[in-house]
Every structure is written in C-alpha cells, then in structure tokens.
Amino acid sequence: MSLNGENHDPRAAVIGLGSMGFGMAQSMARSGLEVVGYDITENAVARFLAEGGRAAQNLTDAVEGADIVVSVVVNAQQTEAVLFGPDGIARAMKPGSVFISSATMDPAVARSLAQRLEALGLHYLDAPISGGAARAAKGELTIMASGSPQAFAAARPALDAMAAKVYELGDVSGIGAAFKMINQLLAGVHIAAACEAISFAAKQGLDLQKVYEVITASAGNSWMFENRVPHVLAGDYTPLSAIEIFVKDLGIVQDMARAERYPVPLVAAALQMYLAASGAGMGRDDDSSLARLYAQLSGTTLPSKS
C-alpha cells in the first residue's frame, strides 16, 4: 500500500545510478516497488535500461508521484543540488514523501538539509550506507539511519529492500552521518595501514601470498587488510572504492575534529597519503593504490596484473 492509502506498491525514484545506486534500484525492484532511475551519465542510464529498469529524462520527471526518493550521489554539495539547485526536486516531490540521503557528509550539513526539506512538508532520512556494490546488488547493505518516526515509516519499504541491517540511531538527522564518519575514519586508516604493511613486506622480500595467509589468520588482521590486499596481490587497481573517496571523507573527519578541538593524528597521516596518491595520478583508481604509492616512494616492486 502506498503512503496515500492507495492499493499499489510504493513508487521509488533513485537519483544516481552508479555502482551503489544501480544495485539499490535493482534490490527495490525485486522487492516489488515500482522504481524509476535517473543519472546525469548516459552510460549509467543505458545500463539501467538494459537491465529492464525505467529511466527518467530529468530530476523532476524522476520524482513525479514518487513516495520514496533515494539519493545516491557523491557528497553534500551534490545532495543539496539535487534538492535545492536550479533543477532541484524539493518543490516537485509528492507531499508527505520521503527523501533518503545516502551520501557521506558532515552531520551539520545533514541537519541543515533536513530542516530545509521538512519545512516544505516532506520527510528527510539521514541514511548513509556501507557494504559496497556487491552487497547493494543483493539488498544486503548496512544503513546507519536517523530521522523522525514519520521519515522511517515512509522509508520502510525501501529500507527493507536495500539492507540486511538498518540501524535506527535517533530521531534527529545528522546522527546517521556522524556514525558513518566514525566508520570512514576507521576504514581510511585501516586501508592505509594495510597498504603500508603489504608494501613493507614486499620491501623485505617476503612471499606476499604467504604474508596474506599468515596475517589473515593472526591478530594483525583487519577487514580492510583481508579485503584490499588481494587487489595488490593481483596487481589490479580497478576502482571498487576510489582514492578520492577517502580524500573527501577523511577531509570531513579532520574538519569535524578541528571544530571540536579534537586531535586526529592517525587520520591526518592517512589523509596525507591519500592526497599524495591522488596527486600522483591515482585519484580515480582503487584505494588499495596506496600500496603503489608506498612502492614508488621506497623503490619496492609489487605484483603486476597478469
């Protein structure tokens, strides 16, 4: 049943059909929701259409009649543009519908966007995501959400379709964003540590496959070591999560910490490595490319793609 009581499945619009948004749209469609997608990139739209999806020509058309709008754009600036830019959807959305914001952003910005949208009689769910493209396609994401009870109720059909775990973290937007930034702090530092370690192992002339086997069975293991080091071993830096993501996210963490007068020296060190990798031309490559940067700085040879 839709939000207005009519007997049909809710209609959802997905803004952003990249690796995450595409999978999220697929998961909602499988669950029975009517899904319309939109992306500024023609290739993304073409891929969505080839898989049987329905695509809109512009943002306004995408949200027409939608009960749920899921925004899967890159950052706060793009989210604000989607809502309140020249072609923004805020005044085109259906009264009482919900905007689910999945972008990683400063909690203060999430609170501001929520207040502006709620002033128009719409709901805003602060709902950053974790899990990667594979889990998005399976409907197995982790969603760290905060918002009003009404926002959660309106978003429930989409949340159930997209996620294996939905953490309801509070009734104020910004809490979900803050949780995501703690996750990104750890993820960014752990990737940097994993890349430093595997490159140092290469410098020692160790068998890197054996290093991976031993460390993943030992106390020094981390989820990021286990997940990212295989990219290094394969010499394959096809972007599953790009360097630039952590340039952005660790930058946000550092800005938040500075505002609170809170020291984050590990974040600062890791951020410098991501910045260096980006400056060396690896910004759009996989974030495991930090290992390549360490190798370049130390004259170390890493495996090459076969």
Side-chain angles (χ1 to χ4, degrees):
M1 180 174 289
S2 72
L3 301 182
N4 60 15
E6 297 176 6
N7 290 318
H8 61 74
D9 290 315
R11 181 170 184 255
V14 177
I15 309 301
L17 296 171
S19 59
M20 298 297 290
F22 180 81
M24 293 158 75
Q26 284 184 313
S27 295
M28 284 189 284
R30 281 198 308 271
S31 75
L33 276 70
E34 180 185 352
V35 180
V36 174
Y38 173 78
D39 197 286
I40 61 172
T41 305
E42 291 183 4
N43 287 344
V45 173
R47 179 189 179 205
F48 189 62
L49 290 171
E51 293 293 327
R54 290 180 53 207
Q57 296 297 312
N58 54 59
L59 283 170
T60 302
D61 287 348
V63 304
E64 183 180 356
D67 304 292
I68 302 165
V69 178
V70 183
S71 175
V72 201
V73 296
V74 173
N75 54 29
Q77 291 77 15
Q78 289 187 6
T79 304
E80 182 172 21
V82 165
L83 285 171
F84 303 110
D87 299 315
I89 63 173
R91 296 194 178 277
M93 286 176 62
K94 181 179 176 180
S97 60
V98 61
F99 181 85
I100 302 177
S101 175
S102 296
T104 301
M105 66 181 71
D106 188 309
V109 177
R111 288 191 293 271
S112 174
L113 292 174
Q115 290 167 1
R116 292 167 66 185
L117 197 64
E118 289 164 357
L120 299 175
L122 300 164
H123 302 298
Y124 183 103
L125 193 70
D126 173 24
I129 55 180
S130 181
R135 286 174 62 185
K138 295 177 182 177
E140 296 177 354
L141 290 172
T142 295
I143 298 181
M144 307 166 217
S146 64
S148 68
Q150 295 85 353
F152 272 106
R156 186 65 57 193
L159 297 177
D160 289 345
M162 296 186 295
K165 293 182 180 179
V166 177
Y167 289 100
E168 300 187 19
L169 301 170
D171 59 4
V172 178
S173 290
I175 298 174
F179 270 80
K180 179 62 183 292
M181 295 321 304
I182 299 302
N183 180 79
Q184 295 306 90
L185 183 162
L186 290 165
V189 170
H190 288 175
I191 291 168
C195 291
E196 184 173 296
I198 198 65
S199 299
F200 188 49
K203 186 69 174 178
Q204 302 302 306
L206 302 180
D207 180 334
L208 297 188
Q209 290 286 350
K210 187 60 70 174
V211 169
Y212 180 75
E213 178 184 342
V214 170
I215 296 303
T216 55
S218 303
N221 191 35
S222 68
W223 191 91
M224 285 300 186
F225 185 95
E226 194 162 342
N227 183 267
R228 296 305 203 267
V229 169
H231 304 177
V232 179
L233 301 183
D236 186 354
Y237 300 95
T238 302
L240 300 180
S241 174
I243 288 286
E244 287 293 344
I245 290 175
F246 283 101
V247 170
K248 170 180 69 75
D249 290 356
L250 294 188
I252 294 172
V253 172
Q254 191 156 272
D255 288 345
M256 291 168 61
R258 181 168 55 248
E260 298 287 344
R261 298 301 184 266
Y262 184 85
V264 284
L266 299 182
V267 167
L271 176 56
Q272 291 304 308
M273 297 305 294
Y274 288 105
L275 285 167
S278 179
M282 305 177 196
R284 296 185 180 277
D285 295 340
D286 192 73
D287 51 33
S288 60
S289 292
L290 281 192
R292 295 158 66 196
L293 181 69
Y294 275 107
Q296 288 180 10
L297 292 172
S298 62
T300 301
T301 301
L302 293 174
S304 57
K305 190 173 183 179
S306 56

